[in-house]
């Protein structure tokens, strides 16, 4: 689906035949050959729909990604192994869960997200409309030596009539034995309504700086096959350290309470090269809006083998004493790093005054940038994930900044819980219609909830859904960016395709209730549970009280900041509680424990003796 109502498209022509034979190598050494090449691959369509163990993929709609799915074997891709994949409705798979690909479709390689992509038919396809028979299947062979992913009868998206047109059937085959890839095309009928950047076929690595293009702006004819061959000898050496995430898997922004519990810097560092790495420095720091350092640590990693990761936790904490916008930076400092583009992550931290009667949660700066967001067809939407800085609290008001509304459309304000898979948007809690006559232009539109929603743990998702074409929601492009934004298409939520560079202007207002599961001031004073006996050699105990039932987790780190124990206890009951840890497998030393209760972190030291 085209993102902006205001996009300008230029006709550059469409071709329906291929003259290609061979191509490459890319920087790493991959080459490709199609059926026209001497000794090239032979078209041999694999119908997996009737094979035992084949899985039909559910949840594909327009412009979304589903997964992860297990490959079933370690597949060597470039210089690293991949074991799971995500499927994009627009004709591609990828090996990480962040971001999705939509029109306009890039040439490969491209540093723009998403990366780690294999795209046999990256085009504006769609699933799920009434009468749309398009399906997608995947199948791992019984010997776990090959994976097949097939898109069948998948039509192109169109914003007129039934919402789709044409039909395309194609597949990817990944082979374990020689790390080869194959694209096969059984059927190609119709054309995309887009006339620029409407199709791209190729692949790229995890940073998008190495890849191989087969074709672009050309539809592959039926009975076409193209094979991608792994280099027989890998001479390309990669020394590459990368920051995978800060604090959480998506580096999603957080709200902290002014004067509340401290924030401990943590980051996941990976060796994304193909050479062992000696220890190197990682620089972590929190900066305020004036770029003054509030807390910082320099930590040396342990030696890292290729395709391994380490979690580092800084001993210095950031104490949020002043409300405002902060940024948590992490930089790897490996000498001779091959891909500097993945050496940094920035996380947004918003410190809010939680003593106010009404606490507004916002990731934007209040000023709309650019043209905003509006979906062609008028039936799309966006959303923002909000995690309160304390529990329980009442969600009382939603705010949406509407820039323009030339067609006089209304919108729906929606609230979802986080009961979906891995905390994704789940059940709809409330939906409020905002009539077109009530919409304010170039201004915030406040939506008061008839009944406040009580949040006792986790997150809520605030949605904005168009009731007609033309209405435009504001966006903020100034750093930092929250990485907590989503797009809603055909009632399906997916990470916003521009989530790394834009924030959506949706706010939430909460109010404090009288009871909090773990009082922040008590945490600051050290009045939440203590380990005993401490030091300990075999078993250690922790007693604590909760004012309300809350989710609880425990992580233990060694003196080098490496995660050695990660336990999720789920919901723990209200009142007095006790837990016991078995320390017999741990060597003697000093350890840090992070106890997470709801959205609060409690940090304790413990000493293990032998």
């Amino acid at each position: 689906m085209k993102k902006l109502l205001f996009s300008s498209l230029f006709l550059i022509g469409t071709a329906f035949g291929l003259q290609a034979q061979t191509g490459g190598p890319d920087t790493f050494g991959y080459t490709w050959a199609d059926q026209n090449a001497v000794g090239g691959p032979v078209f041999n369509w694999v119908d997996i729909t009737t094979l035992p163990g084949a899985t039909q993929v559910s949840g594909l709609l327009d412009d979304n990604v589903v997964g992860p799915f297990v490959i079933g074997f370690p597949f060597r891709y470039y210089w690293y192994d991949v074991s799971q994949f995500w499927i994009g409705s627009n004709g591609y798979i990828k090996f990480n869960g962040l971001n999705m690909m939509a029109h306009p479709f890039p040439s490969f390689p491209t540093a723009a997200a998403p990366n780690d992509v294999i795209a046999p038919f990256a085009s504006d396809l769609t699933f799920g409309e009434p009468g749309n028979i398009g399906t997608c299947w995947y199948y791992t062979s019984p010997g776990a030596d090959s994976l097949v992913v097939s898109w069948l009868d998948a039509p192109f998206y169109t914003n007129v009539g039934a919402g789709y047109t044409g039909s395309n059937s194609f597949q990817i085959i990944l082979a374990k034995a020689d790390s080869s890839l194959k694209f096969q095309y059984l059927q190609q009928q119709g054309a995309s309504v887009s006339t620029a950047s409407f199709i791209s076929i190729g692949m790229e690595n995890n940073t998008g700086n190495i890849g191989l293009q087969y074709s672009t702006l050309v539809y592959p004819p039926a009975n076409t096959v193209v094979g991608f061959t792994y280099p027989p000898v890998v001479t390309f050496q990669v020394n590459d350290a990368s920051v995978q995430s800060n604090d959480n898997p998506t580096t999603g922004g957080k709200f902290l309470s002014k004067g509340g519990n401290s924030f401990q810097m943590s980051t996941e560092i990976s060796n994304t090269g193909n050479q062992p790495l000696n220890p190197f420095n990682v620089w972590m720091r929190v900066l305020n809006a004036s770029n003054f350092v509030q807390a910082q640590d320099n930590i040396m990693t342990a030696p890292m083998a290729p395709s391994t990761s380490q979690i580092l936790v800084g001993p210095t904490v950031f104490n949020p004493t002043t409300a405002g916008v902060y940024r948590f930076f992490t930089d790897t400092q490996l000498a001779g790093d091959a891909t500097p583009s993945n050496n940094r992550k920035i996380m947004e931290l918003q410190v809010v005054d939680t003593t106010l009667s009404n606490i507004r949660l916002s990731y934007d700066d209040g000023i709309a940038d650019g043209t905003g967001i509006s979906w062609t067809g008028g039936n799309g939407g966006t959303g923002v994930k909000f995690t309160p800085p304390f529990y329980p609290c009442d969600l009382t008001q939603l705010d949406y900044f509407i820039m323009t509304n030339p067609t006089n459309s209304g919108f729906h304000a929606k609230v979802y819980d986080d009961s979906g898979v891995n905390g994704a948007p789940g059940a709809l809690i409330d939906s409020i219609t905002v009539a077109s006559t009530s919409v304010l232009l170039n201004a915030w539109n406040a939506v008061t909830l008839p009944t406040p929603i009580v949040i006792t743990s986790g997150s809520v998702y605030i949605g904005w859904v168009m009731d007609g074409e033309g209405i435009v929601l504001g966006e903020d492009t100034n750093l930092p960016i929250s990485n907590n934004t989503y797009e809603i298409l055909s009632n399906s939520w997916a990470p916003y395709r521009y989530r790394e560079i834009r924030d959506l202007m949706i706010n939430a207002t909460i109010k404090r209730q009288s009871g909090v599961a773990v009082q922040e001031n008590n945490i600051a004073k050290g009045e939440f549970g203590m380990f005993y006996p401490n030091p300990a050699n075999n078993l250690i105990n922790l007693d604590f009280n909760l004012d309300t039932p809350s989710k609880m987790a425990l992580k233990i780190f060694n003196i080098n900041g490496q995660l050695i124990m990660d336990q999720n206890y789920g919901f723990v009951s209200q009142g007095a509680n006790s837990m016991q840890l078995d320390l017999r497998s741990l060597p003697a030393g000093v350890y840090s424990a992070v106890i997470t209760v709801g959205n609060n972190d409690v940090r304790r030291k413990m000493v293990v003796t032998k």
Side-chain angles (χ1 to χ4, degrees):
M1 179 181 287
K2 299 186 292 297
K3 173 191 175 281
L4 292 177
L5 176 69
F6 314 104
S7 298
S8 296
L9 302 177
F10 299 93
L11 184 64
I12 59 176
T14 303
F16 291 89
L18 293 177
Q19 304 300 319
Q21 294 184 336
T22 61
D26 66 8
T27 304
F28 181 71
Y30 273 106
T31 57
W32 62 258
D34 62 20
Q35 75 284 344
N36 296 318
V38 176
V42 176
F43 178 81
N44 182 23
W45 181 262
V46 182
D47 181 7
I48 63 174
T49 60
T50 60
L51 297 178
T55 301
Q56 183 173 353
V57 178
S58 61
L60 286 177
L61 297 165
D62 178 44
D63 289 349
N64 75 328
V65 174
V66 296
F69 305 105
V70 176
I71 293 176
F73 54 88
F75 179 69
R76 193 68 171 176
Y77 186 62
Y78 285 95
W79 54 86
Y80 48 92
D81 289 340
V82 291
S83 59
Q84 61 183 5
F85 65 102
W86 284 255
I87 297 176
S89 60
N90 285 332
Y92 62 94
I93 65 171
K94 61 196 186 87
F95 299 120
N96 65 67
L98 300 178
N99 301 297
M100 46 83 69
M101 184 182 296
H103 183 267
F105 296 96
S107 298
F108 296 106
T110 176
N115 301 127
D116 239 4
V117 169
I118 298 176
F121 199 100
S123 192
D124 201 356
L125 306 177
T126 187
F127 294 79
E129 296 87 353
N132 183 344
I133 63 172
T135 60
C136 184
W137 296 70
Y138 73 92
Y139 170 77
T140 298
S141 63
D145 55 13
S146 61
L147 169 75
V148 182
V149 184
S150 298
W151 291 255
L152 304 175
D153 302 306
F156 297 101
Y157 166 82
T158 177
N159 57 3
V160 297
Y164 58 90
T165 183
S167 181
N168 303 278
S169 296
F170 54 95
Q171 65 186 192
I172 300 172
I173 303 175
L174 307 183
K176 178 182 178 181
D178 57 3
S179 300
S180 65
L181 300 83
K182 185 184 292 184
F183 301 166
Q184 298 201 112
Y185 303 91
L186 181 67
Q187 173 186 244
Q188 201 290 300
Q189 296 177 0
S192 173
V193 296
S194 303
T195 55
S197 303
F198 56 84
I199 187 171
S200 186
I201 299 174
M203 57 185 281
E204 68 178 23
N205 76 326
N206 56 1
T207 61
N209 65 337
I210 301 176
L212 202 55
Q213 184 83 50
Y214 172 62
S215 67
T216 184
L217 305 182
V218 177
Y219 295 112
N223 302 323
T224 296
V225 56
V226 55
F228 293 79
T229 301
Y230 196 87
V233 178
V234 176
T235 60
F236 186 72
Q237 294 187 357
V238 183
N239 292 299
D240 182 29
S242 64
V243 185
Q244 293 300 299
S245 61
N246 282 351
D247 185 77
N248 59 82
T250 63
T251 314
K254 273 190 173 181
F255 294 101
L256 305 176
S257 295
K258 172 187 171 183
N261 54 295
S262 59
F263 173 81
Q264 188 159 28
M265 298 177 289
S266 65
T267 186
E268 183 179 5
I269 306 299
S270 293
N271 180 351
T272 41
N274 60 2
Q275 302 296 306
L277 297 179
N278 293 322
F280 56 90
N281 188 64
V282 176
W283 182 25
M284 296 186 288
R285 69 270 188 210
V286 174
L287 305 181
N288 66 10
S290 299
N291 290 321
F292 290 112
V293 175
Q294 308 298 296
Q296 66 176 326
D297 282 310
N298 286 279
I299 300 179
M300 294 295 292
T301 68
M304 299 184 69
S307 302
T308 62
S309 297
Q310 294 179 16
I311 294 178
L312 304 179
V313 178
T316 304
V317 298
F318 164 54
N319 293 306
T321 58
T322 303
V325 182
Y326 297 82
R327 291 161 295 157
F328 168 30
F329 285 77
T330 297
D331 288 272
T332 59
Q333 297 181 326
L334 174 70
D337 194 291
T339 51
S341 61
N342 62 13
N343 290 357
R344 169 177 287 183
K345 287 286 185 183
I346 305 175
M347 177 185 178
E348 180 172 357
L349 298 174
Q350 291 278 353
V351 178
V352 295
D353 187 349
T354 55
T355 64
L356 300 175
S357 57
N358 292 292
I359 304 159
R360 185 150 173 164
L361 305 181
S362 173
Y363 284 118
D364 61 78
D365 62 6
I367 301 173
D369 304 315
T371 56
I373 171 72
S374 182
W375 300 104
T376 300
N379 59 355
T382 60
V384 177
K385 177 183 179 181
F386 289 95
T387 305
F390 59 85
Y391 305 106
C393 63
D394 289 337
L395 176 65
T396 60
Q397 180 176 302
L398 318 175
D399 286 271
Y400 304 85
F401 192 92
I402 303 300
M403 295 180 65
T404 59
N405 190 16
T407 57
N408 294 319
S409 297
F411 67 90
H412 270 75
K414 294 177 177 285
V415 183
Y416 296 80
D417 68 17
D418 62 352
S419 60
V421 178
N422 296 323
L428 176 64
I429 304 174
D430 205 348
S431 179
I432 301 171
T433 301
V434 179
S436 59
T437 54
S438 300
V439 174
L440 303 176
L441 301 184
N442 199 33
W444 286 101
N445 289 255
V447 180
T448 302
L449 297 177
T451 302
I453 296 171
V454 180
I455 307 172
T456 59
S457 63
S459 307
V460 291
Y461 294 83
I462 310 302
W464 171 78
V465 178
M466 304 166 65
D467 286 344
E469 192 165 80
I471 188 169
V472 178
L473 181 75
E475 293 181 303
D476 173 25
T477 60
N478 290 323
L479 298 177
I481 302 298
S482 73
N483 288 307
N484 280 326
T485 52
Y486 293 79
E487 55 188 62
I488 307 171
L489 299 171
S490 301
N491 295 316
S492 176
W493 287 63
Y496 185 30
R497 65 195 68 183
Y498 300 114
R499 74 183 304 176
E500 294 183 334
I501 58 175
R502 302 176 188 177
D503 266 317
L504 301 167
M505 296 183 72
I506 299 174
N507 291 183
T509 297
I510 60 173
K511 299 184 73 171
R512 183 182 289 276
Q513 291 191 330
S514 57
V516 178
V518 179
Q519 295 287 346
E520 294 159 303
N521 291 335
N522 288 347
I523 292 173
K525 297 175 185 176
E527 295 176 358
F528 183 81
M530 302 292 289
F531 286 113
Y532 69 92
N534 197 4
N537 56 8
N538 290 324
L539 302 174
I540 196 167
N541 302 289
L542 177 67
D543 293 342
F544 55 93
N545 280 277
L546 295 181
D547 291 345
T548 63
S550 302
K551 291 180 180 178
M552 186 166 176
L554 171 68
K555 292 183 179 180
I556 296 179
F557 302 87
N558 64 18
I559 197 170
N560 296 318
Q562 296 170 302
L563 179 66
I564 60 171
M565 185 181 296
D566 189 352
Q567 180 67 50
N568 189 343
Y569 296 99
F571 273 96
V572 177
S573 61
Q574 177 181 350
N577 289 272
S578 180
M579 65 170 59
Q580 188 175 73
L581 302 179
D582 189 340
L583 307 179
R584 284 173 288 191
S585 63
L586 300 183
V590 179
Y591 295 84
S592 298
V594 179
I595 309 164
T596 301
V597 182
N599 197 40
N600 297 304
D601 288 341
V602 183
R603 292 168 178 83
R604 293 284 180 259
K605 297 289 186 182
M606 65 181 191
V607 179
V608 177
T609 59
K610 297 296 182 182

